[in-house]
Amino acid sequence: MTILLSVTGFAPSRWWQALHEAAPDRRIVVDVAEAGAEPIDYAVVWKQPPGLLATLPDLKAIFSLGAGVDHILTDRELPDVPIVRIVADDLKERMSEFVVWRVLDHFRRGRAYRQQQTQKIWHERMQPAAREITVGIMGLGVLGLDAAEKLKVLGFDVAGWSRSEKRVAGIETFAGEAGLGPFLAASDILVVLLPLTADTRGIIDAALLSRMKRETPLGGPVLINAGRGGLQHETAILAALDEGRLMEASLDVFTVEPLPAESRLWSHPKVFVTPHAAAASDPDALAPIVMRQIAAHERGEPLENVVDRQAGY
Ligand code: NDP
Ligand code: OXD
């Protein structure tokens, strides 16, 4: 039994080592030629070359190295086998740390105080209480729910928006197109943790930004996007910031990554940029999960966290 590890954008060595350590008896190859005459049964991928997986007649399942699978589904020639995504405490904890960090920094006026420090200005800013702020989470899935719970512990009022209706204790929930308006109207800080699908592509556009609150206890609305860059229209975000309709933004993901040097987002004083680092996929934490699933599948057990291809996540 052979496993193909196919990644683009970084070296496969750390993943190869972690997968090998998780199941030393498995053969793991990093390109098809290395497999020789051996059939390839499983593929573990991040942005595999388009068309590659279609050349593997024995493939039984595809594993994403992350929570998102848009990087797999862009391949138009995907074989009809299950696609499995990562669901892991390690990933949830990292994402919630990022969300809490960015929410607290905007909430506690990090940008203003950093600016004041450069000018040695001693001036205390008005500070609302956490309970006066509603953090709206777009995408109330595995990551969104965990972040919501942690924000609740800090005392924030939390709202969530998802595709299907949900009931979550202590969180005001909204669903679908009908729920979007009221959800945006309730949110002072908007956290985007949506997957990139045909329905969500470009959802953070001028129209959505214009539906956000005008006045908030912080002075204006804040946008935090750690979902995918393809969800956002960057020119619309810049325009909203320039016109003061958006107070500040933290962006971890971009339409083009790495963010091109000429992007105005790099130097915009109201934007905090991180390089798609909100929740890194740590090979040591995640490889054992992938290898456990492969072993279970080999024993005839069902795969977990299989993606709904129709929905795109
Ligand atoms: P889930 O699949 O668990 O959750 C997705 C959520 O989005 C669900 O609540 C789903 O609704 C909702 N959703 C999907 N489509 C729509 C829609 N059209 N309208 C409204 N809501 C919608 O995903 P995860 O929480 O595990 O991950 C979310 C995303 O985070 C990933 O897809 C990835 O893009 C991104 N990510 C980014 C990382 C980073 O470092 N920046 C790291 C890891 C992930 P419903 O509940 O009804 O299905
Ligand atoms: C993921 C990511 O999808 O790291 O897990 O972006």
Side-chain angles (χ1 to χ4, degrees), residues 46 64-71 86 91 143 226-228 253 276 279-281:
W46 185 262
S64 169
L65 289 185
V69 290
D70 49 298
H71 64 98
I86 293 280
L91 209 58
L143 301 179
R228 280 291 182 265
V253 285
H276 197 142
S281 286

Side-chain angles (χ1 to χ4, degrees), residues 138 161 175-188 190 203-216 221 240 245-246:
M138 283 183 96
W161 185 68
E177 186 48 46
L180 184 58
F183 165 75
L184 293 171
S187 304
D188 300 307
L190 186 64
I203 191 168
I204 310 162
D205 59 5
L208 181 140
L209 293 168
S210 72
R211 293 166 85 186
M212 286 177 74
K213 271 185 162 181
R214 295 269 152 167
E215 297 294 324
T216 76
R245 281 183 287 113
L246 199 54

Side-chain angles (χ1 to χ4, degrees), residues 134-304:
T134 301
V135 182
I137 303 190
M138 283 183 96
L140 213 45
V142 172
L143 301 179
L145 275 172
D146 194 66
E149 279 162 21
K150 285 169 181 162
L151 290 165
K152 283 292 296 179
V153 170
L154 289 171
F156 290 99
D157 183 46
V158 179
W161 185 68
S162 53
R163 195 160 68 108
S164 56
E165 305 227 340
K166 291 200 188 318
R167 273 199 196 165
V168 186
I171 296 172
E172 195 178 2
T173 54
F174 301 86
E177 186 48 46
L180 184 58
F183 165 75
L184 293 171
S187 304
D188 300 307
I189 298 178
L190 186 64
V191 175
V192 184
L193 285 174
L194 287 168
L196 181 60
T197 70
D199 288 341
T200 62
R201 183 174 291 280
I203 191 168
I204 310 162
D205 59 5
L208 181 140
L209 293 168
S210 72
R211 293 166 85 186
M212 286 177 74
K213 271 185 162 181
R214 295 269 152 167
E215 297 294 324
T216 76
L218 293 170
V222 171
L223 170 70
I224 299 171
N225 183 11
R228 280 291 182 265
L231 300 167
Q232 72 199 12
H233 283 257
E234 286 161 10
T235 46
I237 293 173
L238 283 163
L241 289 163
D242 290 341
E243 290 159 19
R245 281 183 287 113
L246 199 54
M247 191 180 82
E248 291 170 8
S250 281
L251 304 175
D252 182 59
V253 285
F254 302 90
T255 47
V256 177
E257 294 181 2
L259 181 62
E262 60 274 18
S263 170
R264 213 154 64 77
L265 291 168
W266 278 117
S267 54
H268 199 290
K270 297 179 183 173
V271 179
F272 189 89
V273 169
T274 43
H276 197 142
S281 286
D282 174 21
D284 294 331
L286 306 185
I289 296 175
V290 173
M291 290 315 233
R292 264 200 304 275
Q293 282 244 59
I294 290 178
H297 191 248
E298 290 289 290
R299 292 194 299 269
E301 292 167 26
L303 291 165
E304 291 167 9

Side-chain angles (χ1 to χ4, degrees), residues 40-43 53-54 56-62 79 81:
I40 291 175
D41 301 275
Y42 298 95
L53 301 177
L56 310 176
D58 300 293
L59 198 64
K60 295 177 187 152
I62 303 165
V81 298

Side-chain angles (χ1 to χ4, degrees), residues 88-129:
D89 285 348
D90 186 80
L91 209 58
K92 271 196 301 200
E93 284 156 12
R94 286 167 193 263
M95 182 57 87
S96 291
E97 283 167 17
F98 177 86
V99 171
V100 168
W101 171 44
R102 294 322 309 149
V103 166
L104 284 178
D105 187 52
H106 291 288
F107 169 63
R108 294 306 302 248
R109 318 252 163 213
R111 182 175 78 90
Y113 283 132
R114 281 188 291 274
Q115 218 164 31
Q116 280 182 210
Q117 187 174 349
T118 63
Q119 296 163 275
K120 301 180 182 160
I121 295 173
W122 184 273
H123 166 64
E124 186 182 348
R125 302 263 169 171
M126 175 274 294
Q127 184 61 52

